Amino acid sequence: QIHLVESGGGLVQAGGSLRLSCAASGRALGADNMGWFRQAPGKEREFVAAITPTGMITYYGDSVKGRFSISRDNAKNTMFLQMNSLKPEDTAVYSCAASRWPLNSVNYYDIGTYDFWGQGTQVTVSS
């Protein structure tokens, strides 16, 4: 079993930046694909970004490409999401997730691909 805890959320003005962290405990994350998803009030959960175990391959949702960057530090059992040029529409609860399934072009954005989830951290972007 793995336990994921997000941190780093908060209130920021439009155009600002935040860095989210996802810390894992229970076992090492080195073999897991990892992802970030977000959910705004009244909306479905949306894929944000994903990263393979070595960090060599990353995927991004269209709405965050060029603004967000996903990374990981397996030695620290932690994953990150650097969010720049934030917009009010980025406001949501951001959750991290882990998967032992191989990621590919048809499953990296699918919620069902991920086995373990954190509780989420609130990100609010004011205009």
Side-chain angles (χ1 to χ4, degrees):
Q1 190 76 356
I2 189 170
H3 184 57
L4 302 174
V5 178
E6 303 90 341
S7 62
L11 174 63
V12 63
Q13 288 188 332
S17 298
L18 281 175
R19 190 191 195 205
L20 304 184
S21 298
C22 173
S25 60
R27 62 169 171 79
L29 274 181
D32 291 71
N33 295 290
M34 302 291 295
W36 286 99
F37 289 76
R38 67 186 183 185
Q39 188 166 21
K43 295 187 177 181
E44 292 187 352
R45 189 170 289 186
E46 176 190 15
F47 170 76
V48 175
I51 188 168
T52 54
T54 62
M56 291 293 290
I57 299 174
T58 56
Y59 302 92
Y60 293 95
D62 288 342
S63 61
V64 305
K65 281 180 182 176
R67 299 188 298 123
F68 290 12
S69 177
I70 189 171
S71 62
R72 64 192 296 164
D73 184 339
N74 288 339
K76 296 182 178 179
N77 236 24
T78 304
M79 176 181 65
F80 306 97
L81 184 68
Q82 178 66 42
M83 306 186 295
N84 298 327
S85 302
L86 283 162
K87 305 175 181 179
E89 50 264 44
D90 294 319
T91 295
V93 174
Y94 285 70
S95 299
C96 63
S99 172
R100 285 297 183 95
W101 296 98
L103 291 185
N104 56 49
S105 60
V106 298
N107 75 353
Y108 65 87
Y109 53 83
D110 188 343
I111 293 172
T113 298
Y114 299 85
D115 308 297
F116 302 98
W117 292 82
Q119 290 298 310
T121 185
Q122 176 70 47
V123 171
T124 303
V125 185
S126 62
S127 57

PDB file of all heavy atoms in Angstrom, residues 60-84:
ATOM      1  N   TYR A  60       1.171  15.952 -20.923  1.00  0.00           N
ATOM      2  CA  TYR A  60       0.473  17.118 -20.392  1.00  0.00           C
ATOM      3  C   TYR A  60      -0.899  17.263 -21.030  1.00  0.00           C
ATOM      4  O   TYR A  60      -1.089  16.954 -22.208  1.00  0.00           O
ATOM      5  CB  TYR A  60       1.280  18.394 -20.648  1.00  0.00           C
ATOM      6  CG  TYR A  60       2.580  18.450 -19.888  1.00  0.00           C
ATOM      7  CD1 TYR A  60       3.764  18.032 -20.472  1.00  0.00           C
ATOM      8  CD2 TYR A  60       2.607  18.906 -18.576  1.00  0.00           C
ATOM      9  CE1 TYR A  60       4.956  18.059 -19.767  1.00  0.00           C
ATOM     10  CE2 TYR A  60       3.786  18.937 -17.853  1.00  0.00           C
ATOM     11  CZ  TYR A  60       4.955  18.508 -18.462  1.00  0.00           C
ATOM     12  OH  TYR A  60       6.129  18.543 -17.751  1.00  0.00           O
ATOM     13  N   GLY A  61      -1.818  17.774 -20.240  1.00  0.00           N
ATOM     14  CA  GLY A  61      -3.105  18.132 -20.798  1.00  0.00           C
ATOM     15  C   GLY A  61      -2.968  19.380 -21.655  1.00  0.00           C
ATOM     16  O   GLY A  61      -2.093  20.217 -21.402  1.00  0.00           O
ATOM     17  N   ASP A  62      -3.817  19.519 -22.638  1.00  0.00           N
ATOM     18  CA  ASP A  62      -3.704  20.632 -23.579  1.00  0.00           C
ATOM     19  C   ASP A  62      -3.798  21.989 -22.885  1.00  0.00           C
ATOM     20  O   ASP A  62      -3.131  22.944 -23.287  1.00  0.00           O
ATOM     21  CB  ASP A  62      -4.803  20.535 -24.643  1.00  0.00           C
ATOM     22  CG  ASP A  62      -4.563  19.394 -25.622  1.00  0.00           C
ATOM     23  OD1 ASP A  62      -3.412  18.907 -25.706  1.00  0.00           O
ATOM     24  OD2 ASP A  62      -5.525  18.979 -26.297  1.00  0.00           O
ATOM     25  N   SER A  63      -4.595  22.072 -21.839  1.00  0.00           N
ATOM     26  CA  SER A  63      -4.820  23.366 -21.193  1.00  0.00           C
ATOM     27  C   SER A  63      -3.626  23.836 -20.367  1.00  0.00           C
ATOM     28  O   SER A  63      -3.586  25.010 -19.974  1.00  0.00           O
ATOM     29  CB  SER A  63      -6.065  23.298 -20.306  1.00  0.00           C
ATOM     30  OG  SER A  63      -5.891  22.322 -19.289  1.00  0.00           O
ATOM     31  N   VAL A  64      -2.670  22.959 -20.099  1.00  0.00           N
ATOM     32  CA  VAL A  64      -1.531  23.353 -19.263  1.00  0.00           C
ATOM     33  C   VAL A  64      -0.192  23.271 -19.988  1.00  0.00           C
ATOM     34  O   VAL A  64       0.841  23.652 -19.429  1.00  0.00           O
ATOM     35  CB  VAL A  64      -1.459  22.497 -17.971  1.00  0.00           C
ATOM     36  CG1 VAL A  64      -2.774  22.558 -17.218  1.00  0.00           C
ATOM     37  CG2 VAL A  64      -1.054  21.066 -18.277  1.00  0.00           C
ATOM     38  N   LYS A  65      -0.190  22.790 -21.214  1.00  0.00           N
ATOM     39  CA  LYS A  65       1.070  22.666 -21.970  1.00  0.00           C
ATOM     40  C   LYS A  65       1.756  24.013 -22.077  1.00  0.00           C
ATOM     41  O   LYS A  65       1.123  25.033 -22.371  1.00  0.00           O
ATOM     42  CB  LYS A  65       0.790  22.111 -23.368  1.00  0.00           C
ATOM     43  CG  LYS A  65       0.578  20.612 -23.417  1.00  0.00           C
ATOM     44  CD  LYS A  65       0.312  20.146 -24.835  1.00  0.00           C
ATOM     45  CE  LYS A  65       0.061  18.649 -24.884  1.00  0.00           C
ATOM     46  NZ  LYS A  65      -0.289  18.183 -26.246  1.00  0.00           N
ATOM     47  N   GLY A  66       3.057  23.999 -21.821  1.00  0.00           N
ATOM     48  CA  GLY A  66       3.837  25.223 -21.916  1.00  0.00           C
ATOM     49  C   GLY A  66       3.823  26.064 -20.658  1.00  0.00           C
ATOM     50  O   GLY A  66       4.607  27.009 -20.535  1.00  0.00           O
ATOM     51  N   ARG A  67       2.933  25.736 -19.709  1.00  0.00           N
ATOM     52  CA  ARG A  67       2.849  26.497 -18.456  1.00  0.00           C
ATOM     53  C   ARG A  67       3.215  25.645 -17.239  1.00  0.00           C
ATOM     54  O   ARG A  67       3.789  26.156 -16.274  1.00  0.00           O
ATOM     55  CB  ARG A  67       1.429  27.044 -18.272  1.00  0.00           C
ATOM     56  CG  ARG A  67       0.985  27.980 -19.376  1.00  0.00           C
ATOM     57  CD  ARG A  67      -0.351  28.646 -19.033  1.00  0.00           C
ATOM     58  NE  ARG A  67      -1.440  27.669 -18.883  1.00  0.00           N
ATOM     59  CZ  ARG A  67      -2.165  27.550 -17.782  1.00  0.00           C
ATOM     60  NH1 ARG A  67      -1.928  28.319 -16.729  1.00  0.00           N
ATOM     61  NH2 ARG A  67      -3.135  26.643 -17.729  1.00  0.00           N
ATOM     62  N   PHE A  68       2.859  24.382 -17.271  1.00  0.00           N
ATOM     63  CA  PHE A  68       3.119  23.484 -16.150  1.00  0.00           C
ATOM     64  C   PHE A  68       4.251  22.525 -16.498  1.00  0.00           C
ATOM     65  O   PHE A  68       4.444  22.167 -17.673  1.00  0.00           O
ATOM     66  CB  PHE A  68       1.875  22.653 -15.823  1.00  0.00           C
ATOM     67  CG  PHE A  68       0.737  23.433 -15.215  1.00  0.00           C
ATOM     68  CD1 PHE A  68       0.721  24.820 -15.190  1.00  0.00           C
ATOM     69  CD2 PHE A  68      -0.340  22.754 -14.661  1.00  0.00           C
ATOM     70  CE1 PHE A  68      -0.329  25.526 -14.649  1.00  0.00           C
ATOM     71  CE2 PHE A  68      -1.405  23.441 -14.095  1.00  0.00           C
ATOM     72  CZ  PHE A  68      -1.396  24.834 -14.100  1.00  0.00           C
ATOM     73  N   SER A  69       4.969  22.083 -15.456  1.00  0.00           N
ATOM     74  CA  SER A  69       6.057  21.131 -15.654  1.00  0.00           C
ATOM     75  C   SER A  69       6.038  20.094 -14.529  1.00  0.00           C
ATOM     76  O   SER A  69       6.053  20.449 -13.348  1.00  0.00           O
ATOM     77  CB  SER A  69       7.399  21.863 -15.671  1.00  0.00           C
ATOM     78  OG  SER A  69       8.461  20.937 -15.802  1.00  0.00           O
ATOM     79  N   ILE A  70       6.017  18.823 -14.924  1.00  0.00           N
ATOM     80  CA  ILE A  70       6.009  17.734 -13.945  1.00  0.00           C
ATOM     81  C   ILE A  70       7.414  17.166 -13.808  1.00  0.00           C
ATOM     82  O   ILE A  70       8.151  17.070 -14.800  1.00  0.00           O
ATOM     83  CB  ILE A  70       4.998  16.636 -14.362  1.00  0.00           C
ATOM     84  CG1 ILE A  70       4.816  15.603 -13.249  1.00  0.00           C
ATOM     85  CG2 ILE A  70       5.401  15.980 -15.677  1.00  0.00           C
ATOM     86  CD1 ILE A  70       3.674  14.613 -13.525  1.00  0.00           C
ATOM     87  N   SER A  71       7.786  16.811 -12.594  1.00  0.00           N
ATOM     88  CA  SER A  71       9.092  16.212 -12.352  1.00  0.00           C
ATOM     89  C   SER A  71       8.999  15.307 -11.128  1.00  0.00           C
ATOM     90  O   SER A  71       7.980  15.285 -10.440  1.00  0.00           O
ATOM     91  CB  SER A  71      10.153  17.298 -12.156  1.00  0.00           C
ATOM     92  OG  SER A  71       9.846  18.080 -11.009  1.00  0.00           O
ATOM     93  N   ARG A  72      10.061  14.580 -10.871  1.00  0.00           N
ATOM     94  CA  ARG A  72      10.059  13.672  -9.725  1.00  0.00           C
ATOM     95  C   ARG A  72      11.475  13.499  -9.197  1.00  0.00           C
ATOM     96  O   ARG A  72      12.456  13.650  -9.938  1.00  0.00           O
ATOM     97  CB  ARG A  72       9.454  12.323 -10.093  1.00  0.00           C
ATOM     98  CG  ARG A  72      10.223  11.542 -11.137  1.00  0.00           C
ATOM     99  CD  ARG A  72       9.404  10.367 -11.659  1.00  0.00           C
ATOM    100  NE  ARG A  72       9.135   9.383 -10.617  1.00  0.00           N
ATOM    101  CZ  ARG A  72       8.197   8.432 -10.738  1.00  0.00           C
ATOM    102  NH1 ARG A  72       7.454   8.364 -11.838  1.00  0.00           N
ATOM    103  NH2 ARG A  72       8.021   7.559  -9.763  1.00  0.00           N
ATOM    104  N   ASP A  73      11.553  13.178  -7.910  1.00  0.00           N
ATOM    105  CA  ASP A  73      12.819  12.867  -7.262  1.00  0.00           C
ATOM    106  C   ASP A  73      12.610  11.529  -6.559  1.00  0.00           C
ATOM    107  O   ASP A  73      12.091  11.481  -5.437  1.00  0.00           O
ATOM    108  CB  ASP A  73      13.197  13.969  -6.270  1.00  0.00           C
ATOM    109  CG  ASP A  73      14.559  13.750  -5.649  1.00  0.00           C
ATOM    110  OD1 ASP A  73      15.051  12.607  -5.654  1.00  0.00           O
ATOM    111  OD2 ASP A  73      15.132  14.721  -5.148  1.00  0.00           O
ATOM    112  N   ASN A  74      13.006  10.451  -7.214  1.00  0.00           N
ATOM    113  CA  ASN A  74      12.746   9.121  -6.655  1.00  0.00           C
ATOM    114  C   ASN A  74      13.520   8.890  -5.359  1.00  0.00           C
ATOM    115  O   ASN A  74      13.068   8.144  -4.498  1.00  0.00           O
ATOM    116  CB  ASN A  74      13.088   8.051  -7.685  1.00  0.00           C
ATOM    117  CG  ASN A  74      12.082   8.015  -8.829  1.00  0.00           C
ATOM    118  OD1 ASN A  74      10.952   8.489  -8.700  1.00  0.00           O
ATOM    119  ND2 ASN A  74      12.496   7.466  -9.965  1.00  0.00           N
ATOM    120  N   ALA A  75      14.660   9.522  -5.224  1.00  0.00           N
ATOM    121  CA  ALA A  75      15.439   9.363  -3.998  1.00  0.00           C
ATOM    122  C   ALA A  75      14.684   9.921  -2.790  1.00  0.00           C
ATOM    123  O   ALA A  75      14.844   9.440  -1.669  1.00  0.00           O
ATOM    124  CB  ALA A  75      16.786  10.055  -4.134  1.00  0.00           C
ATOM    125  N   LYS A  76      13.849  10.937  -3.048  1.00  0.00           N
ATOM    126  CA  LYS A  76      13.057  11.545  -1.982  1.00  0.00           C
ATOM    127  C   LYS A  76      11.614  11.072  -2.004  1.00  0.00           C
ATOM    128  O   LYS A  76      10.788  11.559  -1.222  1.00  0.00           O
ATOM    129  CB  LYS A  76      13.097  13.066  -2.100  1.00  0.00           C
ATOM    130  CG  LYS A  76      14.492  13.653  -1.896  1.00  0.00           C
ATOM    131  CD  LYS A  76      14.468  15.172  -1.972  1.00  0.00           C
ATOM    132  CE  LYS A  76      15.848  15.745  -1.724  1.00  0.00           C
ATOM    133  NZ  LYS A  76      15.861  17.232  -1.808  1.00  0.00           N
ATOM    134  N   ASN A  77      11.320  10.143  -2.922  1.00  0.00           N
ATOM    135  CA  ASN A  77       9.957   9.596  -3.013  1.00  0.00           C
ATOM    136  C   ASN A  77       8.913  10.691  -3.196  1.00  0.00           C
ATOM    137  O   ASN A  77       7.830  10.653  -2.594  1.00  0.00           O
ATOM    138  CB  ASN A  77       9.619   8.774  -1.769  1.00  0.00           C
ATOM    139  CG  ASN A  77       9.199   7.357  -2.112  1.00  0.00           C
ATOM    140  OD1 ASN A  77       9.541   6.828  -3.162  1.00  0.00           O
ATOM    141  ND2 ASN A  77       8.435   6.741  -1.227  1.00  0.00           N
ATOM    142  N   THR A  78       9.240  11.652  -4.044  1.00  0.00           N
ATOM    143  CA  THR A  78       8.395  12.837  -4.204  1.00  0.00           C
ATOM    144  C   THR A  78       8.253  13.210  -5.665  1.00  0.00           C
ATOM    145  O   THR A  78       9.194  13.053  -6.447  1.00  0.00           O
ATOM    146  CB  THR A  78       8.983  14.024  -3.424  1.00  0.00           C
ATOM    147  OG1 THR A  78       9.150  13.655  -2.054  1.00  0.00           O
ATOM    148  CG2 THR A  78       8.057  15.235  -3.491  1.00  0.00           C
ATOM    149  N   MET A  79       7.074  13.705  -6.004  1.00  0.00           N
ATOM    150  CA  MET A  79       6.802  14.213  -7.341  1.00  0.00           C
ATOM    151  C   MET A  79       6.396  15.676  -7.217  1.00  0.00           C
ATOM    152  O   MET A  79       5.879  16.086  -6.167  1.00  0.00           O
ATOM    153  CB  MET A  79       5.664  13.422  -7.992  1.00  0.00           C
ATOM    154  CG  MET A  79       5.236  13.934  -9.347  1.00  0.00           C
ATOM    155  SD  MET A  79       3.886  12.996 -10.064  1.00  0.00           S
ATOM    156  CE  MET A  79       2.551  13.315  -8.926  1.00  0.00           C
ATOM    157  N   PHE A  80       6.632  16.441  -8.278  1.00  0.00           N
ATOM    158  CA  PHE A  80       6.356  17.877  -8.240  1.00  0.00           C
ATOM    159  C   PHE A  80       5.538  18.310  -9.454  1.00  0.00           C
ATOM    160  O   PHE A  80       5.558  17.666 -10.498  1.00  0.00           O
ATOM    161  CB  PHE A  80       7.680  18.664  -8.226  1.00  0.00           C
ATOM    162  CG  PHE A  80       8.609  18.249  -7.140  1.00  0.00           C
ATOM    163  CD1 PHE A  80       9.637  17.353  -7.397  1.00  0.00           C
ATOM    164  CD2 PHE A  80       8.454  18.736  -5.851  1.00  0.00           C
ATOM    165  CE1 PHE A  80      10.504  16.962  -6.399  1.00  0.00           C
ATOM    166  CE2 PHE A  80       9.314  18.352  -4.839  1.00  0.00           C
ATOM    167  CZ  PHE A  80      10.341  17.459  -5.105  1.00  0.00           C
ATOM    168  N   LEU A  81       4.858  19.423  -9.287  1.00  0.00           N
ATOM    169  CA  LEU A  81       4.186  20.084 -10.400  1.00  0.00           C
ATOM    170  C   LEU A  81       4.463  21.572 -10.287  1.00  0.00           C
ATOM    171  O   LEU A  81       3.952  22.232  -9.384  1.00  0.00           O
ATOM    172  CB  LEU A  81       2.678  19.822 -10.398  1.00  0.00           C
ATOM    173  CG  LEU A  81       1.927  20.394 -11.592  1.00  0.00           C
ATOM    174  CD1 LEU A  81       2.320  19.659 -12.872  1.00  0.00           C
ATOM    175  CD2 LEU A  81       0.411  20.339 -11.397  1.00  0.00           C
ATOM    176  N   GLN A  82       5.302  22.071 -11.170  1.00  0.00           N
ATOM    177  CA  GLN A  82       5.587  23.507 -11.226  1.00  0.00           C
ATOM    178  C   GLN A  82       4.545  24.157 -12.124  1.00  0.00           C
ATOM    179  O   GLN A  82       4.429  23.789 -13.303  1.00  0.00           O
ATOM    180  CB  GLN A  82       6.988  23.752 -11.776  1.00  0.00           C
ATOM    181  CG  GLN A  82       7.345  25.222 -11.916  1.00  0.00           C
ATOM    182  CD  GLN A  82       7.446  25.931 -10.580  1.00  0.00           C
ATOM    183  OE1 GLN A  82       8.000  25.390  -9.627  1.00  0.00           O
ATOM    184  NE2 GLN A  82       6.896  27.130 -10.501  1.00  0.00           N
ATOM    185  N   MET A  83       3.815  25.105 -11.570  1.00  0.00           N
ATOM    186  CA  MET A  83       2.734  25.756 -12.305  1.00  0.00           C
ATOM    187  C   MET A  83       3.062  27.226 -12.463  1.00  0.00           C
ATOM    188  O   MET A  83       3.169  27.964 -11.477  1.00  0.00           O
ATOM    189  CB  MET A  83       1.408  25.581 -11.561  1.00  0.00           C
ATOM    190  CG  MET A  83       1.066  24.134 -11.254  1.00  0.00           C
ATOM    191  SD  MET A  83      -0.581  23.940 -10.542  1.00  0.00           S
ATOM    192  CE  MET A  83      -0.375  24.811  -8.996  1.00  0.00           C
ATOM    193  N   ASN A  84       3.242  27.651 -13.702  1.00  0.00           N
ATOM    194  CA  ASN A  84       3.562  29.044 -14.020  1.00  0.00           C
ATOM    195  C   ASN A  84       2.428  29.665 -14.826  1.00  0.00           C
ATOM    196  O   ASN A  84       1.590  28.962 -15.387  1.00  0.00           O
ATOM    197  CB  ASN A  84       4.862  29.112 -14.809  1.00  0.00           C
ATOM    198  CG  ASN A  84       6.044  28.577 -14.041  1.00  0.00           C
ATOM    199  OD1 ASN A  84       6.124  28.689 -12.817  1.00  0.00           O
ATOM    200  ND2 ASN A  84       6.986  27.973 -14.757  1.00  0.00           N
TER     201      ASN A  84
END
